[in-house]
Amino acid sequence: MRITIYCFATLLFVACGKKVAPPEPSEKEQKKVVSTRTIVDPKNRQDTIYLGYILGQKTKSITKQLIKNGDLLSKRIEKRTFTLSMGGFARNIIVKGYPLDLYIGDKKYDALLSLYDTNGDLIEDDGMLMSLRIYIPGGALEKADIITELKKQYGEPNRPPQGGYKVDVPQEVDVFWNISNKAVYLESFSGFMVLIYEDIIAVRNKNKAEAVAKESEKARNREQSKKTRL
């Protein structure tokens, strides 16, 4: 099963050696921000995500630099096992990704970062990025802290857009934001959480292509069944 934190920073403007708060946005700019946060707009893409990865672009050069800088703690993909509990049942799942120390507030998490391409497959060397997922150990207390930090970054959550896009988790998400084409959402399970960044437009395209392929297969099967009626 494929399931899937963000580096939080406060931006300050510097003038004459002093920290100066940025100017208040105009009414026009405020309307643009609201629009960006609720409408999937291919002409106003928001592609930069965690650690400088860019949706829709190749991953290898960024990964290589992050390994060199020590942000990712291994040169190779590693495996970890998480226990997934739902509906009274539990089973182990194996997740592949790069280990990293994830700092949020005064806490450090032993997290795992996974990258997925536009086909939904794990990127082990290089690929066009569609989704980035961070697997984080922790329970309800840790989840509350993470949601608080996400709200500082993105404001109040909204809902997944319609039109062929679905979140890639087996239950409702804890919080979700869409910032134009960029989705950011958190899902929690027993003992771990997954923070996901992904390209809404790329996910829609993948889902549509898969739906067309399924219908084509059904049509071929119907034609073949005419030749072998029971």
Side-chain angles (χ1 to χ4, degrees):
M1 175 183 296
R2 293 193 303 246
I3 315 178
T4 236
I5 225 157
Y6 204 82
C7 195
F8 307 99
T10 301
L11 299 179
L12 295 173
F13 290 81
V14 179
C16 302
K18 297 181 180 180
K19 294 180 179 179
V20 181
E24 290 295 324
S26 66
E27 183 178 350
K28 182 178 180 180
E29 290 172 331
Q30 288 176 335
K31 288 182 179 179
K32 183 178 180 180
V33 170
V34 171
S35 176
T36 299
R37 292 181 54 79
T38 56
I39 298 174
V40 181
D41 183 2
K43 296 181 180 180
N44 184 27
R45 292 184 61 91
Q46 306 293 311
D47 290 322
T48 302
I49 56 173
Y50 181 64
L51 289 179
Y53 280 104
I54 301 174
L55 296 171
Q57 294 193 16
K58 293 282 190 176
T59 59
K60 188 172 184 176
S61 61
I62 298 174
T63 300
K64 185 177 180 180
Q65 187 62 46
L66 291 171
I67 293 171
K68 182 179 179 180
N69 294 345
D71 296 304
L72 300 179
L73 304 179
S74 174
K75 295 180 180 180
R76 297 177 178 83
I77 295 286
E78 295 185 1
K79 294 181 181 180
R80 289 191 188 172
T81 301
F82 292 93
T83 300
L84 180 62
S85 300
M86 290 192 309
F89 296 93
R91 67 187 182 95
N92 290 335
I93 60 169
I94 297 175
V95 176
K96 296 180 179 181
Y98 295 97
L100 75 156
D101 290 332
L102 179 66
Y103 296 90
I104 300 177
D106 60 356
K107 295 182 180 179
K108 182 178 79 170
Y109 299 88
D110 182 18
L112 195 74
L113 180 146
S114 300
L115 306 170
Y116 296 88
D117 64 19
T118 50
N119 294 318
D121 297 324
L122 180 73
I123 298 173
E124 298 197 43
D125 181 37
D126 196 16
M128 299 290 288
L129 183 63
M130 182 179 74
S131 177
L132 180 152
R133 306 178 185 201
I134 305 172
Y135 297 81
I136 312 153
L141 180 60
E142 290 80 9
K143 180 179 75 172
D145 290 342
I146 291 169
I147 290 175
T148 296
E149 294 300 327
L150 286 169
K151 286 183 177 180
K152 289 178 183 178
Q153 179 76 8
Y154 298 114
E156 287 303 309
N158 48 31
R159 296 182 179 181
Q162 298 179 349
Y165 173 79
K166 292 183 180 180
V167 295
D168 194 15
V169 288
Q171 60 189 48
E172 289 188 5
V173 298
D174 293 290
V175 283
F176 181 97
W177 291 265
N178 86 268
I179 304 94
S180 191
N181 63 293
K182 177 169 62 179
V184 182
Y185 58 98
L186 181 74
E187 182 59 286
S188 59
F189 302 88
S190 178
F192 74 100
M193 297 159 283
V194 187
L195 181 66
I196 303 176
Y197 301 84
E198 65 186 7
D199 186 344
I200 293 171
I201 296 173
V203 172
R204 280 177 171 171
N205 291 339
K206 179 178 75 70
N207 291 344
K208 289 177 182 178
E210 290 175 349
V212 169
K214 286 181 181 179
E215 288 303 316
S216 296
E217 182 180 5
K218 288 179 181 179
R220 289 194 298 270
N221 292 342
R222 284 193 291 267
E223 288 299 317
Q224 291 297 320
S225 69
K226 295 176 181 179
K227 302 175 183 179
T228 58
R229 290 185 178 179
L230 299 177

